[in-house]
């Protein structure tokens, strides 16, 4: 698929007052609540209704197969034929096909030979029934993947239960897609293929992620767990190329997003509907088309699974009168709920309430003539001005409002302001005719009624508003119509502004940026579709991402063409004119029909658009001018950062002497250079042209006068489509559309290698930084709280070890690369007691390099983190820049290869919390920063001088004390043992 979802639309004819009622889809719908879902109509119930209806209206016949969406339609398939009418005689089938009962209106058919099989019913009477040319394949694809989703809202995951089934031998519940477990045949088949090496995996198309079964097969099923997501909704189940009895399993696409719950029914509430006799209106979530609301003239229905199950939307009594409840003229889905337009007033129905909206939410209290929402699903888009993107538009005759989430509404323009912008005469009458979102993810188109006398003719003009730039652009579009004409626009899925318009009878096309215009032609009646459909009027126009366009009339006659095609063909009649029906999209992104019956029930029916178009093409002998058109564009959105280029290729194969070529067209700001290279080959009468297209940037952001202004001028969103030079209704794909955004990727971030949050005790703590270690030299020490959640685990480093941070780039898919360019670091709490091992001279500087000291002095009014960055970075490797200065200063710029390291003080340890910022102005549009923490250790703390002096004083005091004590101690010994005995002996001698 070219896009993640498909468009939506279901219109009813405008009322006599000119106020149109149309069904449009809103943005992603996500209504809260839960309910018991009414089961879809049983097969027997549908058969009874169809049998009852077959007595009325024109006769018709159709076919079906057991394969969902006619995915397998081959010689192995059972083709079920069904005739509605009373004049049936028997079936006419070719000899290569066998029919079960040719005289039964409902029977089964098998064709043993591939090719075009001509089938038609033979009826009694002079009239002939139309024949179909069914294309039966010879395919070795026989089996399909069946999946069932279980939602776990507690951890926002979804478990996909997958098994393999054979549509020709499946259980009825598997064919109706409501099986909870595989049938016995499916269990045996899945196990048999698993033993041969079969194993499914889920691939996401937008984010390119892959999920595998998280355990071995159990009871014939695989289980794959995936996260709930709203920006990766398009998924594919793929298996290995394993065959069983020469049969393979087909890969399938499906859409899966958050679990969207429908609003529950409350018994005492009353129905809400459109006026009696109105055509169906519908709206579905743009990126989740299985979430649908349908307004009929007796009820309003809602589903979250393409009407396999459904509920009725009811409203509380005593809020609306009976007439108001049956006067819905428009409906739109939004993430806030379901919006109904009733008699010029907007009402909201959600899980909690039903209420009118007016001046309380900045909307008019009346006079609203239309509401609309986005048609094409663009999940990723770039907003340069960091604003919001609206989800719906509301308008009166003279004012336009945009609606945002949480019921925020803003008036953006009035017709008086438009007159001034477009330099229109003040005497002229200017009113809003219609409003529609374009194919661009950020643009909105206004159709304007312009006239002077306004009696017979008015002119329709078109202006486009860009929600990001807030600019209004007048387009080269003017269409003169009668004053009572009402036109409904539908913008094509294209890079250029292209649209079709329709009134009750004709389709107007505006291709190639309004340069190729006209009325859609038909083989007869000059494009008047009403004359080719028994005077019915146009009810609905359906488009998909493949370029298919189906016009449905009120009597269910359908016409078919493709974008860039100027004529339409009438399709085979499929639905009885007495049944009210509408075209919608299922979870596989395929077209199906919604039938609403008078008894208040609803039934979905698959429609084989490809087979029906092939049948008509075989009859008209129309062929596609080329054999194949290939490309390697696997995404719908690309995001380029600075220095990044994008190269894609497209290839066309066609018969020689036709002269086809590949066209590349873009729409948006001129911010990329485009270079094309064509390779041409010819062999065996066929030509192959391969074009390689390279989109590149060549802007140097270093040392410019206004860095941020230059960045702003060179960022934006560009739409590109690649298409063949010629088209036909039989070509499978008309063009490839994708988006290139140039700017900052919000999912991109950097981290320093070797840091995480798992290798330490997870707690916050406080520490003190001495005032002498701080850059600003404060008067007190700084007490800092270490925030573990913010800073992560600190890395412990010996004070003698130098540290070189290695910065790595990541995105939401994981590691991208090591950052090679320059970056700077600073301690966020103001420490400057660290340095760098490289000097400016050693780093090769020719003049003094920028430092934190010089940059803070130069930008004194800015905070530290804004003083130095890519916006003012200048290198030091040129004589032409800067002054010589002192080149022995530390060089404070680091990159992966310059071997510049952080050096720690030798006299103390500490805790350092650094912030990293990418300095190279040519690396990224993002302001890439990160935080890491270092704790140094190993330093033996030096004692203070006061402590040393005190210790010496005490030591001297102790020494002196010991000396004094020793003196007296030895004096006592001298006296006791020397002096006194000696004198005692002398006295004794004297006495003697």
């Amino acid at each position: 698929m070219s896009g993640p979802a498909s468009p939506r639309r279901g219109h009813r004819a405008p009322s006599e007052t000119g106020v149109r009622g149309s069904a449009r889809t809103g943005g992603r719908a996500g209504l809260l609540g839960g309910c018991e879902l009414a089961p879809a109509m049983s097969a027997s119930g549908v058969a009874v209704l169809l049998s009852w209806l077959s007595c009325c209206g024109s006769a018709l016949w159709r076919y079906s197969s057991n394969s969902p969406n006619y995915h397998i339609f081959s010689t192995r398939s059972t083709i079920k034929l069904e005739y509605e009418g009373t004049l049936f005689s028997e079936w006419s089938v070719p000899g290569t096909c066998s029919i079960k009962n040719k005289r039964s209106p409902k029977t089964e058919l098998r064709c043993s030979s591939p090719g075009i099989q001509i089938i038609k019913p033979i009826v009694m009477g002079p009239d002939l029934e139309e024949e179909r040319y069914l294309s039966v394949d010879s395919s070795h694809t026989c089996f399909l993947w069946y999946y069932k989703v279980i939602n776990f809202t507690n951890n926002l995951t979804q478990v996909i239960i997958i098994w393999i089934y054979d549509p020709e031998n499946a259980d009825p519940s598997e064919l109706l897609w409501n099986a909870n477990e595989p049938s016995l045949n499916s269990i045996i088949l899945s196990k048999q293929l698993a033993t041969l090496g079969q194993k499914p995996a889920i691939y996401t198309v937008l984010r390119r992620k892959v999920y595998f079964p998280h355990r071995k097969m159990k009871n014939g099923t695989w289980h794959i767990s995936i996260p709930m997501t709203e920006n990766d909704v398009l998924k594919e189940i793929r298996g290995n190329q394993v065959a069983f009895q020469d049969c393979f399993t087909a890969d399938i696409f499906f859409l899966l997003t958050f679990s969207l719950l429908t609003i529950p029914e409350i018994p005492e509430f009353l129905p809400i509907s459109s006026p009696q006799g109105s055509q169906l209106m519908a709206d579905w979530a743009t990126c989740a088309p299985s979430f649908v609301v349908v307004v009929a003239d007796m009820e309003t229905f809602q589903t979250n699974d393409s009407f396999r199950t459904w509920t009725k939307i009811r409203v509380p009594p005593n809020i609306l009168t009976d007439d108001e409840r049956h006067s819905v003229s428009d409906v739109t889905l939004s993430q806030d709920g379901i919006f109904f337009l009733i008699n010029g007033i907007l009402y909201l129905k959600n899980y909690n309430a039903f209420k009118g909206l007016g001046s309380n939410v900045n909307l008019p209290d009346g006079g609203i003539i239309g509401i609309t929402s986005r048609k094409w699903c663009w999940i990723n888009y770039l907003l340069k001005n960091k604003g919001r993107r609206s989800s719906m538009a509301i308008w009166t005759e003279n004012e336009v409002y945009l609606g945002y989430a949480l019921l925020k509404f803003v008036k953006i323009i009035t017709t008086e302001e438009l007159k001034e912008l477009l330099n229109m005469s003040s005497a002229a009458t200017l009113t809003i005719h219609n409003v529609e979102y374009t194919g661009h993810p950020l643009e909105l188109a206004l159709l304007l009624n312009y006239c002077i006398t306004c009696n017979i003719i008015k002119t329709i003009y078109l202006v486009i508003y860009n929600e990001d730039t807030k600019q209004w652009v007048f387009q080269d579009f003017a269409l003169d119509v009668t004053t009572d004409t009402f036109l409904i626009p539908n913008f094509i899925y294209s890079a250029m502004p292209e649209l079709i318009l329709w009134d009750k009878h004709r389709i107007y096309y505006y291709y190639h940026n309004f340069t190729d215009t006209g009325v859609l032609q038909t083989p007869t009646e000059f494009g008047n579709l009403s004359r080719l459909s028994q005077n019915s009027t146009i009810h609905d126009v359906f488009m998909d991402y493949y370029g298919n366009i189906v016009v449905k009339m009120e009597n269910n006659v359908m016409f078919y063409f493709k974008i860039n095609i100027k004529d339409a063909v009438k399709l085979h009649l499929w639905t009885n004119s007495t049944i009210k029906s509408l075209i919608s999209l299922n979870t596989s992104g395929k077209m199906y029909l919604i039938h609403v019956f008078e008894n208040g029930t609803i039934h979905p029916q698959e429609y084989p658009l490809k087979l029906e178009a092939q049948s008509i093409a075989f009859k008209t002998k129309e062929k596609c001018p080329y054999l194949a058109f290939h490309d390697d564009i696997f995404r719908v959105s690309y995001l380029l950062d600075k220095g990044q280029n994008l190269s894609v290729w497209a290839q066309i194969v066609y018969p020689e002497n036709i002269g086809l070529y590949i066209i590349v067209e873009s729409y948006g700001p001129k911010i990329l250079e485009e270079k094309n290279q064509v390779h041409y080959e010819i062999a065996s009468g066929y030509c192959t042209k391969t074009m390689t297209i390279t989109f590149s940037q060549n802007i140097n952001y270093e040392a410019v006068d206004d860095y941020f202004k230059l960045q702003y001028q060179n960022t934006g969103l560009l739409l590109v489509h690649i298409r063949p030079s010629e088209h036909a209704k039989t070509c499978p794909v008309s063009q490839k559309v994708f988006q290139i955004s140039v700017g900052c990727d919000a999912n991109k971030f950097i981290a320093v290698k070797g840091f995480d949050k798992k290798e330490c005790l997870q707690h916050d703590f406080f520490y003190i930084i001495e005032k002498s270690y701080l850059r600003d030299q404060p008067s007190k020490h700084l007490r800092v709280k270490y925030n573990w959640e913010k800073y992560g685990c600190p890395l412990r480093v010996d004070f003698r070890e130098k540290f070189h941070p290695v910065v790595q780039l990541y995105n939401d898919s994981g590691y991208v690369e090591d950052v090679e360019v320059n970056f700077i670091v600073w301690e966020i709490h103001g420490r400057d007691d660290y340095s760098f091992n490289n000097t400016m001279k050693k780093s090769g500087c020719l003049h003094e390099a920028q430092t934190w000291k010089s940059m803070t002095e130069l930008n004194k009014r800015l905070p530290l983190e804004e003083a130095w960055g890519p916006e003012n970075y200048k290198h030091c490797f040129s004589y032409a820049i800067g002054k010589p200065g002192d080149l022995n200063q530390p060089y404070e710029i680091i990159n992966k290869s310059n071997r510049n390291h952080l050096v720690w003080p030798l006299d103390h340890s500490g805790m350092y919390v650094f912030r990293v910022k990418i300095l190279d102005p040519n690396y990224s549009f993002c302001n890439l920063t990160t935080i890491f923490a270092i704790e140094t250790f190993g330093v033996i703390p030096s004692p203070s001088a006061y402590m040393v002096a005190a210790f010496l004083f005490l030591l001297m005091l102790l020494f002196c004390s010991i000396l004094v004590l020793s003196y007296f101690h030895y004096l006592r010994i001298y006296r006791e043992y020397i002096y006194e005995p000696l004198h005692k002996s002398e006295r004794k001698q004297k006495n003697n």
Side-chain angles (χ1 to χ4, degrees):
M1 292 180 66
S2 298
S6 295
R8 74 288 167 273
R9 180 80 15 112
H11 294 271
R12 77 177 185 88
S15 63
E16 294 179 0
T17 61
V19 178
R20 70 90 192 262
S22 65
R24 304 171 180 257
T25 342
R28 297 177 297 276
L31 306 182
L32 300 177
C35 60
E36 292 295 327
L37 297 175
M41 187 181 299
S42 65
S44 59
V46 173
V48 170
L49 279 169
L50 292 178
S51 175
W52 173 66
L53 289 167
S54 65
C55 66
C56 310
S58 59
L60 57 90
W61 71 277
R62 54 181 167 260
Y63 56 94
S64 62
S65 75
N66 291 327
S67 174
N69 304 309
Y70 298 83
H71 194 84
I72 301 174
F73 201 80
S74 66
T75 54
R76 193 176 180 273
S77 302
T78 299
I79 302 172
K80 298 178 181 179
L81 303 179
E82 177 184 8
Y83 179 85
E84 281 189 20
T86 58
L87 302 177
F88 177 79
S89 176
E90 62 179 35
W91 293 99
S92 172
V93 299
T96 56
C97 300
S98 61
I99 191 167
K100 190 174 182 179
N101 184 355
K102 65 183 300 183
R103 297 190 180 277
S104 173
K106 293 183 180 181
T107 188
E108 294 181 356
L109 176 74
R110 284 180 180 268
C111 295
S112 57
S113 298
I116 300 298
Q117 309 295 342
I118 304 175
I119 301 171
K120 70 174 183 179
I122 298 174
V123 296
M124 296 178 289
D127 296 332
L128 298 176
E129 287 293 339
E130 60 181 349
E131 59 187 9
R132 281 184 169 92
Y133 303 86
L134 296 186
S135 177
V136 178
D137 296 332
S138 176
S139 172
H140 289 282
T141 299
C142 313
F143 310 135
L144 296 172
W145 296 104
Y146 190 102
Y147 68 92
K148 178 179 174 59
V149 181
I150 301 178
N151 297 296
F152 293 93
T153 55
N154 58 327
N155 59 0
L156 297 179
T157 60
Q158 294 167 313
V159 173
I160 316 297
I161 303 174
I162 302 173
W163 65 85
I164 300 171
Y165 76 106
D166 180 358
E168 299 304 318
N169 296 284
D171 191 79
S173 62
E174 291 175 322
L175 297 179
L176 293 174
W177 211 260
N178 57 15
N180 293 317
E181 58 185 17
S183 63
L184 180 59
N185 285 338
S186 298
I187 292 174
I188 296 172
L189 179 62
S190 298
K191 289 183 176 181
Q192 181 65 44
L193 284 166
T195 59
L196 297 173
Q198 184 61 278
K199 189 176 183 180
I202 294 179
Y203 291 75
T204 67
V205 175
L206 300 179
R207 306 291 289 277
R208 317 299 293 176
K209 294 187 176 181
V210 184
Y211 301 94
F212 297 97
H214 53 76
R215 65 183 185 186
K216 293 182 178 180
M217 174 181 279
K218 182 180 180 181
N219 298 327
T221 63
W222 293 273
H223 292 69
I224 301 179
S225 180
I226 63 174
M228 289 185 183
T229 163
E230 63 178 0
N231 60 3
D232 202 9
V233 297
L234 184 58
K235 299 174 173 65
E236 182 184 16
I237 300 179
R238 298 183 197 170
N240 300 323
Q241 292 297 317
V242 175
F244 176 63
Q245 296 181 349
D246 293 330
C247 282
F248 293 88
T249 306
D251 300 335
I252 62 167
F253 283 99
F254 66 101
L255 295 161
L256 184 63
T257 181
F258 276 91
S259 176
L260 304 175
L261 302 179
T262 55
I263 300 173
E265 293 183 26
I266 299 179
E268 61 269 20
F269 281 13
L270 302 174
I272 184 170
S273 68
S274 57
Q276 185 66 34
S278 300
Q279 291 293 318
L280 301 180
M281 294 182 288
D283 194 21
W284 56 82
T286 309
C287 295
S290 60
F291 195 80
V292 191
V293 59
V294 172
V295 180
D297 60 359
M298 86 292 289
E299 289 280 3
T300 295
F301 307 90
Q302 187 183 20
T303 180
N304 59 5
D305 57 5
S306 299
F307 285 103
R308 292 189 185 120
T309 57
W310 45 270
T311 59
K312 295 178 180 178
I313 298 296
R314 300 289 182 93
V315 297
N318 305 322
I319 295 181
L320 299 174
T321 65
D322 288 345
D323 288 340
E324 289 173 333
R325 283 193 300 104
H326 301 294
S327 299
V328 176
S329 59
D330 214 339
V331 63
T332 290
L333 272 175
S334 160
Q335 59 191 28
D336 291 317
I338 305 172
F339 291 92
F340 294 98
L341 183 59
I342 301 174
N343 297 338
I345 301 174
L346 194 63
Y347 291 86
L348 171 66
K349 170 65 176 176
N350 57 24
Y351 180 72
N352 299 312
F354 176 77
K355 58 183 178 181
L357 304 177
S359 56
N360 57 327
V361 292
N362 197 36
L363 281 177
D365 291 316
I368 297 174
I369 62 174
I371 56 178
T372 188
S373 56
R374 298 194 178 275
K375 175 181 177 59
W376 302 104
C377 177
W378 290 104
I379 293 175
N380 298 315
Y381 48 87
L382 179 71
L383 286 166
K384 290 175 60 173
N385 295 311
K386 309 303 179 185
R388 295 180 299 169
R389 190 178 77 143
S390 65
S391 59
M392 63 183 298
I394 306 99
W395 66 97
T396 65
E397 282 193 348
N398 301 298
E399 298 173 331
V400 179
Y401 297 79
L402 293 183
Y404 303 88
L406 303 177
L407 298 181
K408 303 294 183 183
F409 297 93
V410 177
K411 181 166 66 175
I412 59 169
I413 200 73
T414 65
T415 50
E416 291 300 318
E417 294 170 339
L418 281 170
K419 278 186 182 181
E420 295 180 8
L421 287 172
L422 304 177
N423 296 319
M424 291 182 172
S425 169
S426 58
T429 300
L430 185 70
T431 59
I432 296 170
H433 182 86
N434 213 327
V435 178
E436 181 62 282
Y437 285 98
T438 72
H440 193 285
L442 300 174
E443 290 188 346
L444 178 78
L446 272 62
L447 289 178
L448 304 174
N449 296 315
Y450 177 85
C451 55
I452 302 295
T453 58
C454 304
N455 293 326
I456 301 174
I457 299 296
K458 65 182 178 182
T459 302
I460 305 293
Y461 290 119
L462 187 144
V463 293
I464 291 180
Y465 173 69
N466 188 291
E467 292 189 55
D468 190 27
T469 63
K470 312 298 181 186
Q471 292 181 339
W472 293 88
V473 179
F474 187 72
Q475 302 297 316
D476 186 14
F477 176 99
L479 179 64
D480 293 330
V481 296
T482 58
T483 54
D484 61 346
T485 298
F486 184 80
L487 297 172
I488 299 173
N490 219 338
F491 278 83
I492 294 169
Y493 183 66
S494 171
M496 312 297 291
E498 299 179 293
L499 77 155
I500 60 170
L501 294 163
W502 67 91
D503 54 23
K504 292 183 177 181
H505 313 292
R506 287 182 172 85
I507 302 288
Y508 305 86
Y509 60 84
Y510 290 82
Y511 297 145
H512 312 318
N513 202 12
F514 309 108
T515 60
D516 189 0
T517 66
V519 176
L520 187 73
Q521 294 300 304
T522 52
T524 59
E525 305 299 344
F526 305 102
N528 190 319
L529 303 185
S530 295
R531 294 178 183 174
L532 295 172
S533 55
Q534 297 79 49
N535 294 319
S536 183
T537 57
I538 298 174
H539 168 222
D540 184 21
V541 176
F542 166 84
M543 296 187 200
D544 66 13
Y545 288 90
Y546 300 103
N548 297 306
I549 304 176
V550 177
V551 182
K552 179 192 166 298
M553 310 301 287
E554 290 188 354
N555 65 353
N556 295 324
V557 172
M558 292 189 289
F559 297 87
Y560 173 74
F561 65 107
K562 279 182 155 300
I563 62 173
N564 298 317
I565 300 299
K566 303 175 184 179
D567 64 287
V569 293
K570 185 178 179 181
L571 292 172
H572 301 296
L573 191 61
W574 187 269
T575 304
N576 199 294
S577 61
T578 60
I579 300 176
K580 290 185 177 180
S581 66
L582 190 71
I583 305 173
S584 186
L585 269 293
N586 59 22
T587 55
S588 298
K590 301 295 184 180
M591 168 183 167
Y592 75 105
L593 298 174
I594 300 171
H595 301 308
V596 177
F597 300 100
E598 294 296 335
N599 62 352
T601 58
I602 195 164
H603 172 64
Q605 186 181 49
E606 294 175 349
Y607 181 76
L609 177 60
K610 180 180 177 180
L611 291 171
E612 292 292 272
Q614 287 176 341
S615 175
I616 296 296
F618 183 84
K619 187 175 181 180
T620 59
K621 308 300 181 183
E622 183 177 6
K623 293 184 178 180
C624 183
Y626 54 87
L627 273 69
F629 182 65
H630 301 294
D631 59 75
D632 71 336
I633 304 167
F634 301 113
R635 299 186 180 185
V636 293
S637 297
Y638 294 89
L639 180 56
L640 302 183
D641 209 334
K642 290 178 181 176
Q644 293 181 336
N645 301 329
L646 174 65
S647 290
V648 297
W649 60 261
Q651 183 182 82
I652 186 170
V653 181
Y654 58 92
E656 62 179 329
N657 301 323
I658 293 183
L660 299 185
Y661 53 93
I662 297 171
I663 298 174
V664 180
E665 294 175 310
S666 62
Y667 175 74
K670 305 301 181 183
I671 54 179
L672 292 174
E673 294 184 7
E674 180 185 326
K675 182 179 179 181
N676 300 334
Q677 184 177 4
V678 179
H679 179 70
Y680 180 83
E681 294 180 0
I682 184 169
S684 302
Y686 293 96
C687 301
T688 301
K689 283 183 182 177
T690 303
M691 176 183 283
T692 301
I693 309 105
T694 301
F695 299 93
S696 60
Q697 312 169 67
N698 291 304
I699 305 296
N700 185 7
Y701 295 90
E702 186 173 343
V704 296
D705 293 333
D706 194 331
Y707 172 82
F708 295 110
K709 180 180 179 181
L710 186 62
Q711 276 200 146
Y712 184 85
Q713 291 173 345
N714 289 281
T715 56
L717 188 150
L718 188 71
L719 288 184
V720 181
H721 68 221
I722 301 175
R723 61 181 177 87
S725 57
E726 293 185 17
H727 303 271
K729 292 184 286 293
T730 53
C731 297
V733 178
S734 298
Q735 60 189 18
K736 192 74 172 186
V737 182
F738 59 99
Q739 173 193 140
I740 305 176
S741 297
V742 180
C744 174
D745 182 357
N747 296 315
K748 183 180 290 186
F749 63 95
I750 59 173
V752 178
K753 183 178 180 180
F755 290 82
D756 57 34
K757 293 184 178 181
K758 300 178 181 179
E759 296 183 356
C760 64
L761 182 62
Q762 301 177 7
H763 71 291
D764 295 348
F765 57 88
F766 292 90
Y767 62 95
I768 301 296
I769 303 176
E770 290 190 24
K771 59 184 180 181
S772 61
Y773 305 154
L774 296 171
R775 186 187 306 273
D776 297 330
Q777 297 296 311
S779 58
K780 297 188 299 184
H781 300 320
L782 180 64
R783 187 172 185 261
V784 175
K785 179 183 179 181
Y786 188 91
N787 188 328
W788 173 86
E789 185 64 33
K790 187 175 181 181
Y791 305 151
C793 294
L795 180 67
R796 287 176 55 82
V797 175
D798 189 282
F799 78 103
R800 292 163 295 190
E801 294 181 9
K802 296 178 292 186
F803 179 75
H804 179 78
V806 176
V807 179
Q808 297 178 321
L809 181 68
Y810 293 83
N811 59 22
D812 56 343
S813 297
Y815 170 82
V816 177
E817 65 180 6
D818 285 356
V819 176
E820 304 278 351
V821 300
N822 291 340
F823 60 90
I824 52 176
V825 299
W826 70 96
E827 213 283 334
I828 65 173
H829 299 303
R831 298 187 75 138
D832 65 350
D833 56 332
Y834 59 92
S835 186
F836 300 83
N837 70 313
N838 278 2
T839 63
M840 298 177 186
K841 184 176 182 180
K842 185 179 178 181
S843 298
C845 289
L846 301 176
H847 64 80
E848 188 174 309
Q850 294 174 324
T851 63
W852 276 111
K853 182 179 180 180
S854 64
M855 297 308 292
T856 52
E857 289 177 355
L858 190 63
N859 302 283
K860 293 180 178 180
R861 292 177 297 176
L862 296 176
L864 180 65
E865 60 271 15
E866 296 179 13
W868 193 9
E871 67 276 10
N872 55 17
Y873 168 69
K874 295 179 181 179
H875 66 78
C876 63
F877 307 110
S878 172
Y879 288 111
I881 305 174
K883 57 183 180 179
D886 180 11
L887 300 185
N888 292 318
Q889 300 178 68
Y891 185 65
E892 299 183 1
I893 299 172
I894 307 174
N895 60 46
K896 185 180 179 182
S897 59
N898 70 355
R899 298 182 180 178
N900 199 11
H901 293 70
L902 291 168
V903 179
W904 316 111
L906 301 177
D907 58 346
H908 61 272
S909 300
M911 180 71 72
Y912 299 83
V913 181
F914 290 101
R915 183 177 291 277
V916 179
K917 179 192 285 188
I918 300 298
L919 191 61
D920 191 323
N922 291 311
Y923 185 69
S924 177
F925 290 105
C926 304
N927 182 26
L928 295 173
T929 66
T930 189
I931 287 179
F932 68 97
I934 298 288
E935 181 184 9
T936 61
F937 69 93
V939 177
I940 299 175
S942 301
S944 74
Y946 298 104
M947 186 177 294
V948 172
F951 178 75
L952 290 175
F953 174 75
L954 291 175
L955 187 62
M956 292 300 295
L957 182 62
L958 178 62
F959 180 73
C960 293
S961 299
I962 291 174
L963 286 177
V964 172
L965 290 175
S966 299
Y967 171 77
F968 286 106
H969 178 69
Y970 283 106
L971 183 61
R972 185 177 62 81
I973 294 174
Y974 174 77
R975 283 181 163 225
E976 184 176 351
Y977 293 103
I978 297 176
Y979 181 79
E980 287 186 358
L982 181 62
H983 285 273
K984 188 176 180 181
S985 173
E986 290 179 354
R987 284 196 300 271
K988 188 181 282 188
Q989 289 177 359
K990 287 181 181 181
N991 292 333
N992 291 335

